[in-house]
């Protein structure tokens, strides 16, 4: 699918589901990594992550477009366009748009193999479990202010 085909699809979905025109640009952004799409407040353009179309298909792409069009139309009308706003949640339900996009298969693999690091206080023996390593010189035990020592580093599936 090209950027022009994506733009035409966004215009069609806007007309069919929202009964309003889409007057800005819609295109694929290869730099998007953690989200399916993005509505730009200043330019009113919509950017879509092409990986979601390639890995999850056209139905997922249509859901992402509907979600971003909810942001677009509500922002243009001056209504609540943010995820927590009632206007936004109501419009999502009305057009059948998902609140969040699905997780990519490659992200599921990465999330299933998580690194866990255990630290233990040398004074009170309290164990801390962390996903990221911490500077044991800078940080101390929250309970007794004792020194922390790295106990174990493991990968969990």
């Amino acid at each position: 699918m090209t950027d022009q085909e994506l733009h035409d699809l966004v215009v069609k979905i806007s007309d069919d589901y929202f009964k309003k025109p889409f007057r800005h640009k819609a295109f694929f952004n290869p730099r998007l990594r953690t989200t399916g799409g993005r509505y730009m407040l200043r330019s009113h353009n919509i950017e879509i992550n092409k990986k979601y179309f390639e890995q999850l298909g056209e139905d997922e792409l249509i859901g992402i477009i509907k979600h971003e069009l909810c942001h677009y139309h509500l922002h243009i009308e001056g209504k609540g366009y943010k995820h927590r706003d009632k206007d936004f949640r109501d419009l999502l339900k009305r057009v059948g748009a998902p609140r969040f996009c699905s997780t990519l298969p490659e992200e599921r693999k990465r999330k299933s193999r998580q690194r866990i690091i255990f630290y233990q206080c040398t004074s009170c023996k309290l164990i801390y479990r962390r996903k990221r390593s911490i500077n044991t010189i800078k940080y101390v035990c929250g309970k007794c202010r004792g020194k922390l020592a790295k106990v174990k580093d493991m990968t969990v599936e």
Side-chain angles (χ1 to χ4, degrees), residues 44-60:
H44 303 295
N45 294 336
I46 292 177
E47 300 176 351
I48 302 291
N49 186 340
K50 196 169 191 171
K51 282 185 186 178
Y52 280 81
F53 171 65
E54 293 168 346
Q55 294 180 22
L56 298 172
E58 191 170 357
D59 289 338
E60 183 71 22

Side-chain angles (χ1 to χ4, degrees), residues 16-65:
D16 293 350
Y17 288 92
F18 297 88
K19 309 291 187 235
K20 296 172 187 168
F22 177 73
R23 293 194 175 104
H24 294 86
K25 294 179 187 170
F27 53 91
F28 288 113
N29 182 348
R31 292 183 311 277
L32 291 179
R33 296 181 59 138
T34 59
T35 184
R38 177 167 65 179
Y39 165 63
M40 308 301 285
L41 291 172
R42 291 179 192 214
S43 65
H44 303 295
N45 294 336
I46 292 177
E47 300 176 351
I48 302 291
N49 186 340
K50 196 169 191 171
K51 282 185 186 178
Y52 280 81
F53 171 65
E54 293 168 346
Q55 294 180 22
L56 298 172
E58 191 170 357
D59 289 338
E60 183 71 22
L61 176 69
I62 290 170
I64 292 168
I65 291 170

